[in-house]
Amino acid sequence: LWASPSVRTVLGWEPEDIVGTVGTDYLHPEQMSLATPAKDRLRDGQVLAGRARFRRADGSYVWVSQVVTPLFDDEGAYVGSVSGFQDAEAEVHAEQALAASEERFRQMMAAAPAGMAVAGLDRRLVVVNPALCRMLERDEEWLLQHTTLDVLHPEDLDTVIALRARLDAGETVDPCEVRVLTGSGGVVWVQLGTALLRGDEGEPSGVLVQLVDVS
């Protein structure tokens, strides 16, 4: 029934070109199955928010962030909706790239022959790979309930604590040899390599740990 002039910026259409058409005509074919459930929720009075792909005037599709608000008449009958949306293409592509990067990291961790882990700043293990589980004779569930210090030989705790302090100070730390304890009570000499992980703003977010058996 009406379209704002900003539809030109997001979708490339002139407002008069889309007035009188049906909104779902612009929805990507792969997302058409979402239209009917969405309309049912609108009739129930729900405000919908999410992302969808819409067809631009040049035939391409663009991701948009959309909020749809239902409209009711004085009798409480559903009569339509108001849809507001903005371009979310760059945001979606950034998230997809991040997801792909994280998936590659998971695959590398899983395939690595060395024991590898990611620990939080509180030293609690948050990601461990199969090689580390085998080396320490511990399952993933047990490891994720413990810290890096929990698997170290008591005599090497001071070494690792000092190493972490240097990492926190921004230093690059060379690998060192320490002992770790296995689930059966054994001791394994490992070469310990660590690197500080940082978030989007450059702030420390965790520590990457690599253990190579040098027994």
Side-chain angles (χ1 to χ4, degrees):
L1 299 177
W2 177 83
S4 71
S6 58
V7 73
R8 298 190 194 97
T9 304
V10 180
L11 297 178
W13 298 98
E14 293 298 325
E16 58 269 22
D17 292 337
I18 65 173
V19 169
T21 64
V22 181
T24 51
D25 289 345
Y26 303 92
L27 196 59
H28 193 283
E30 294 179 359
Q31 296 181 304
M32 285 298 295
S33 61
L34 303 177
T36 299
K39 197 163 189 177
D40 291 340
R41 291 171 61 192
L42 287 170
R43 291 180 182 277
D44 289 337
Q46 298 183 46
V47 175
L48 308 183
R51 292 175 180 157
R53 294 179 70 191
F54 280 89
R55 178 166 51 86
R56 292 174 50 85
D58 62 6
S60 64
Y61 285 87
V62 62
W63 280 99
V64 301
S65 178
Q66 187 178 32
V67 176
V68 186
T69 304
L71 298 176
F72 299 88
D73 63 18
D74 294 340
E75 304 300 322
Y78 175 75
V79 295
S81 62
V82 174
S83 176
F85 51 87
Q86 60 185 11
D87 191 327
E89 189 77 4
E91 184 179 340
V92 170
H93 285 175
E95 291 178 359
Q96 291 174 340
L98 177 61
S101 176
E102 290 176 343
E103 178 59 27
R104 287 193 297 271
F105 179 74
R106 284 191 290 269
Q107 292 177 359
M108 290 170 57
M109 288 276 286
M116 297 187 68
V118 174
L121 295 179
D122 60 356
R123 293 190 171 88
R124 184 166 295 277
L125 295 165
V126 293
V127 179
V128 296
N129 74 339
L132 184 64
C133 294
R134 292 192 295 270
M135 177 187 295
L136 298 178
E137 300 176 4
R138 299 286 190 181
D139 59 31
E140 181 180 23
E141 182 180 3
W142 188 94
L143 288 171
L144 296 183
Q145 294 175 358
H146 291 77
T147 71
T148 53
L149 300 184
D150 292 332
V151 299
L152 280 170
H153 192 286
E155 295 179 5
D156 291 325
L157 289 177
D158 289 343
T159 298
V160 173
I161 291 173
L163 182 149
R164 170 63 186 278
R166 292 174 58 196
L167 276 180
D168 291 343
E171 297 183 33
T172 299
V173 180
D174 293 329
C176 63
E177 293 182 359
V178 296
R179 288 159 291 182
V180 293
L181 304 176
T182 68
S184 62
V187 176
V188 179
W189 277 97
V190 298
Q191 185 183 69
L192 169 65
T194 58
L196 195 63
L197 301 176
R198 297 186 180 277
D200 294 338
E201 304 299 325
E203 76 285 0
S205 60
V207 178
L208 179 65
V209 180
Q210 178 176 278
L211 302 180
V212 178
D213 189 336
V214 293
S215 298

